[in-house]
Amino acid sequence: MTHQTGIEASEELKAKISEALKGSLRFLRVTIENETLVPKESAIPNQTWESDLDSMIPPLLNDKTSCYLFYRLDERNAHQNYLWVFFSYIPDYSPVRDKMVYAATKATIRKAFSSGVIVDDVAATSKEELTLEGYKKHMESQKAAPPLTETEEQLKLLDEAEKHSDVGTTTRHSHLHGIQFPIQQAALDALRELKAKKITYVQLSIDTKAEEILLSQKDAGVDASTLHSCFPDGSPRYHFFLFKHTHEGDYQESFLFLYSCPGFKSTIKERMLYSSCKEPLINVAEDQLEINIVKKIELDSGEQVNESYLMDEVHPSKAAYRPKFMKPPPPNNRRRSPSPRR
């Protein structure tokens, strides 16, 4: 999960979203202007959603301007509400700052719209991905037609875990807070080495077929300046890192947990499994291995990870305390003497 930016939806956008959720619009495009989410183009349905997609959406896009798009399908849910697809369009040639801001504000705009009717989330970097052909390729890659809602995916995975789980130290367990897969012995040993500060970095992955958490990498030479290079582009990962640094003149060593999930580049199953296994894994690290994790961070990639970023996470800056100026009371029953002339 990327970090929130403090950007919020304008009143105009809230009104437009309300109109869209009533089913009168085919799409709604949203941009960020002056640190605020604002509505841009929208249109009523003309033909089927397949036909409207190619005729309405590509002409609105260019290669350097990011935006969000909510696109209405023709299907409805059990409550007779129309289903929607959410597109976050962040082109490769857009400014770096725009990429960061739009990525970090994604959760905010989704929440403002109503995630209960969003059945698919597409992160696009080119106009071709927002055509009918491009969207069909996306659905094929996800092996979901039509895709399930986020809640349905979570319930399905937890249900599958419940059917196959047994009681024992080497089997997985499912519960309300996630799925606990067995952890490879090599992974546990690496975490113990990390706790003993013999190494600085441990990366864990999930074998989705074997349903087991595995050791992907351990290293004694990874530091804040090289940590970003350990993040894979196409798959989620769990990262445990010993952050050695100096804060306000004091040398400190802090254990961090980072969960990276590169969005649309990973499959739905991967995203859901990694998300569901995260909390049980943290519990094992903290409660069983007694690793004192001072900060838990979720992010899309390692691009922004450096010493400055980690310092801001571990030691967030605090506004300086400035006592309110108190005007002294005037002398009782005494007149102020005139100032001497110069």
Side-chain angles (χ1 to χ4, degrees), residues 143 157 160 164 172 181-182 205-214 267 269-270 273-274 277:
K143 297 180 180 179
L157 286 170
E160 289 176 354
H164 295 91
R172 69 178 180 177
F181 283 170
S205 61
I206 294 178
D207 184 332
T208 57
K209 292 183 179 180
E211 297 180 346
E212 184 180 14
I213 296 177
L214 308 177
T267 66
K269 183 176 182 181
E270 280 185 315
L273 284 178
Y274 273 85
C277 291

Side-chain angles (χ1 to χ4, degrees), residues 7-21:
I7 294 173
E8 297 182 353
S10 66
E11 293 301 320
E12 184 183 4
L13 176 58
K14 292 177 181 179
K16 205 68 179 179
I17 288 175
S18 177
E19 179 184 351
L21 291 174

Side-chain angles (χ1 to χ4, degrees), residues 3 40-41 43 51-52 57 95 98 128 139 147 151 164 170 176 226 235 253 258 279 298 305 321:
H3 302 277
K40 303 302 286 187
E41 299 87 354
S51 299
D52 286 346
I57 303 304
D98 285 0
E128 289 72 21
M139 288 196 294
T151 301
H164 295 91
T170 60
L176 291 177
T226 58
S235 300
E253 296 182 342
L258 300 95
E279 288 302 325
E298 298 187 14
V305 176
Y321 172 70

Side-chain angles (χ1 to χ4, degrees), residues 126-151:
S126 67
K127 292 188 288 186
E128 289 72 21
E129 294 176 82
L130 275 76
T131 63
L132 180 59
E133 181 181 0
Y135 181 59
K136 285 185 175 180
K137 287 181 179 179
H138 162 79
M139 288 196 294
E140 290 172 2
S141 70
Q142 302 301 304
K143 297 180 180 179
L148 299 176
T149 65
E150 184 176 346
T151 301

Side-chain angles (χ1 to χ4, degrees), residues 29-163:
R29 191 171 80 91
V30 179
T31 63
I32 299 174
E33 296 181 2
N34 299 321
E35 305 299 317
T36 305
L37 288 160
V38 296
K40 303 302 286 187
E41 299 87 354
S42 61
I44 62 174
N46 187 21
Q47 301 181 52
T48 64
W49 74 264
E50 292 96 337
S51 299
D52 286 346
L53 183 59
D54 280 342
S55 63
M56 293 182 175
I57 303 304
L60 301 176
L61 309 175
N62 65 58
D63 295 331
K64 294 184 179 181
T65 305
S66 301
C67 68
Y68 305 112
L69 275 157
F70 294 96
Y71 191 81
R72 202 206 80 187
L73 304 177
D74 295 327
E75 292 78 19
R76 299 173 185 254
N77 61 17
H79 303 288
Q80 294 302 303
N81 296 318
Y82 281 107
L83 301 179
W84 293 75
V85 176
F86 172 66
F87 293 96
S88 56
Y89 176 63
I90 306 177
D92 289 332
Y93 296 104
S94 60
V96 173
R97 183 183 182 280
D98 285 0
K99 290 181 179 180
M100 296 177 65
V101 171
Y102 274 84
T105 312
K106 181 177 175 180
T108 301
I109 182 61
R110 276 199 53 145
K111 183 178 179 180
F113 191 83
S114 174
S115 60
V117 295
I118 297 175
V119 293
D120 204 359
D121 185 327
V122 182
T125 58
S126 67
K127 292 188 288 186
E128 289 72 21
E129 294 176 82
L130 275 76
T131 63
L132 180 59
E133 181 181 0
Y135 181 59
K136 285 185 175 180
K137 287 181 179 179
H138 162 79
M139 288 196 294
E140 290 172 2
S141 70
Q142 302 301 304
K143 297 180 180 179
L148 299 176
T149 65
E150 184 176 346
T151 301
E152 290 170 336
E153 280 286 351
Q154 182 74 29
L155 291 175
K156 178 182 176 182
L157 286 170
L158 292 177
D159 182 61
E160 289 176 354
E162 183 68 32
K163 290 178 181 178

Side-chain angles (χ1 to χ4, degrees), residues 336-342:
R336 183 178 299 175
S337 299
S339 300
R341 294 182 180 179
R342 295 184 180 179

Side-chain angles (χ1 to χ4, degrees), residues 243-313:
F243 181 33
K244 300 180 180 181
H245 61 284
T246 301
H247 177 62
E248 295 182 347
D250 295 328
Y251 175 74
Q252 300 183 22
E253 296 182 342
S254 305
F255 290 109
L256 311 182
F257 172 83
L258 300 95
Y259 165 49
S260 62
C261 184
F264 75 102
K265 293 182 180 180
S266 55
T267 66
I268 288 179
K269 183 176 182 181
E270 280 185 315
R271 296 198 297 269
M272 297 308 300
L273 284 178
Y274 273 85
S275 176
S276 298
C277 291
K278 173 171 60 68
E279 288 302 325
L281 173 62
I282 291 174
N283 291 338
V284 169
E286 292 184 321
D287 299 338
Q288 297 183 25
L289 302 180
E290 298 182 342
I291 298 175
N292 180 25
I293 300 174
V294 301
K295 186 67 179 182
K296 305 174 184 71
I297 303 170
E298 298 187 14
L299 64 175
D300 293 331
S301 70
E303 291 181 1
Q304 71 266 45
V305 176
N306 53 35
E307 184 173 7
S308 176
Y309 172 84
L310 296 177
M311 288 293 290
D312 287 342
E313 289 292 329

